[in-house]
Amino acid sequence: MQLLSTNNHSSEPEAVKAIVEGMTSEKMLIIDKGEGGMPLCYKPTFFHTEQNLAQLLLSHLSRPVAIDPERVKNWIERFTQAKGMQLSQQQLEAVEMAANSRILILTGGPGTGKTMTTKVITALWKAMGKTCAKRAYGIALAAPTGHAAKRLSEMAGLEAKTIHRLLEFDPATRGFKRGLDNLLPCDALIVDEASMLDLFLAHSLIKAIPQNLQLLIVGDTDQLPSVGPGNVLRDLIESKRIPVIRLTQVFRQAASSAIVRVAHQINKGQYPQLEAISNQPQSDCLWHNGGTEPEHGVQVIGELLQGLIPQLGFNPATDVQVLCPMTRGIVGTRNLNGVLQQLLNPPSLTKAEITRGGMVFREGDRIIQLKNDYDREVYNGELGTITRIDPTEQEMVIEIDEREVVYDYADLNEITLAYSITIHKSQGSEYPVVILPLYLQHYVMLSRNLIYTAITRGKKLVILVGSSKAIAIAVKQQNEQQRYTRLRERLSYN
């Protein structure tokens, strides 16, 4: 909708008021009151979804969990001794609270032990009998993306699914099969990477959980918020209605990693201590002064992929992910993908290729899915590799998460090259090596949670390429886009 202005500026508020009143009377808007009585305009679907999500959560929280605290403490002691584990006081508190909480939020930065804590909670829930043989599964594990679900599965030793797969999305109805009339057949649920949960997905998930279920929500609020509407994880924490354990102690082993140290420094608004790049680096988080010109940054990235990366034992084609703040510009994803494709998967007589929308797709190329495709069960942000291009059948076969997915040529607008992707698209994933170009060309996007999210995607090595000024701006910039929600208030005031 476009609001029409007039030359008489004093009449503009009245014109806007009239439009709002007209849309409200036609039920295109719902007016709610915010802090200090400020009127807030909602699309009806947003209003009712937010309101219903709060009611569902409060209803779930109203049902206590009956357990024997001493028995839980004795179990934790026996389990940790048998496994040779030593939990921090915060972790112990989290495990104990998971036993007697209907919903628990576990949050914290890298190296603080979220993974280990989640592992112990999973084992505790198994010991509590939540692997009920009468049900399809007793403990369900889910995450917003395929990569995050795979990591969760490896950590917990149980099958994990994307939330869409858990809720059984039905392409015919464009909705989920699981809901109030068809609840999830489980006694406990762990949801990881919860910072990515938007309002509508969170509502669909909570709507599908049975009354007796216990829910563990795991996430890091300092990462980028969800791409979709809402600020769910932060609102749940700030409501103070749901128990929260915030892990802050960085474990000794993790503290030896410069990736972890740098991430925490950035999170505190400190300029990070970065080792300058060399032929024999001693750190797992490096900085290459790529100058102030983006063209130099492109050259540096190419040199790293041909030189230092293979010298350190990494495969440039499979182990490295270049993460960019933006798609546009010389060091944006579009340009870098063309450059890196030529470098890592150049034209060959043995490799079929096709050009679509000015982009060349070649067998062996790394690609990323750009939208949810429920028919193929491929979701936004999932990575794959082109294994076959068949010009006769007009088809492309892409291996995604160890399964082959067939695309018609007409559907190739759903994918793009993924040698370089945006930081937003990387959420929920981890890569052996991350290269992060940071230049003033990206000024409009530079922010603390953006660079923090990018650095925490790297498992073994992170290399920042760019100017110190751009890094400093990113670290200082905290003015995240305001998200107008009332979920926190709806939970707090009910």
Side-chain angles (χ1 to χ4, degrees), residues 221-279:
T221 55
D222 295 316
Q223 291 186 24
L224 291 166
S226 60
V227 175
N231 206 359
V232 174
L233 181 60
R234 191 177 292 274
D235 283 345
L236 296 186
I237 292 172
E238 292 180 355
S239 73
K240 302 191 187 305
R241 290 298 293 268
I242 297 172
V244 178
I245 294 292
R246 187 182 297 274
L247 302 178
T248 57
Q249 179 183 332
V250 178
F251 284 84
R252 186 179 301 171
Q253 185 177 355
S256 65
S257 165
I259 294 174
V260 172
R261 187 185 69 247
V262 165
H264 283 280
Q265 288 171 341
I266 288 169
N267 215 12
K268 293 174 184 175
Q270 302 168 356
Y271 189 91
Q273 297 173 350
L274 298 164
E275 179 183 324
I277 207 158
S278 65
N279 290 329

Side-chain angles (χ1 to χ4, degrees), residues 417-491:
L417 294 174
Y419 297 102
S420 173
I421 64 175
T422 62
I423 297 167
H424 282 83
K425 289 285 187 185
S426 75
Q427 282 183 272
S429 298
E430 285 184 340
Y431 316 95
V433 180
V434 163
I435 297 177
L436 174 60
L438 289 173
Y439 284 84
L440 294 180
Q441 187 181 53
H442 298 148
Y443 180 85
V444 68
M445 290 295 295
L446 295 178
S447 69
R448 186 181 301 175
N449 62 352
L450 189 83
I451 186 175
Y452 172 82
T453 300
I455 286 172
T456 54
R457 299 309 91 202
K459 290 171 67 176
K460 297 179 179 178
L461 179 65
V462 174
I463 303 176
L464 285 76
V465 176
S467 69
S468 57
K469 187 173 182 181
I471 296 172
I473 289 171
V475 171
K476 289 178 183 176
Q477 198 92 312
Q478 260 194 307
N479 55 336
E480 303 167 24
Q481 186 178 1
Q482 177 68 44
R483 294 203 167 197
Y484 295 97
T485 75
R486 294 205 68 223
L487 180 60
R488 173 175 63 86
E489 288 83 359
R490 294 187 200 286
L491 289 168

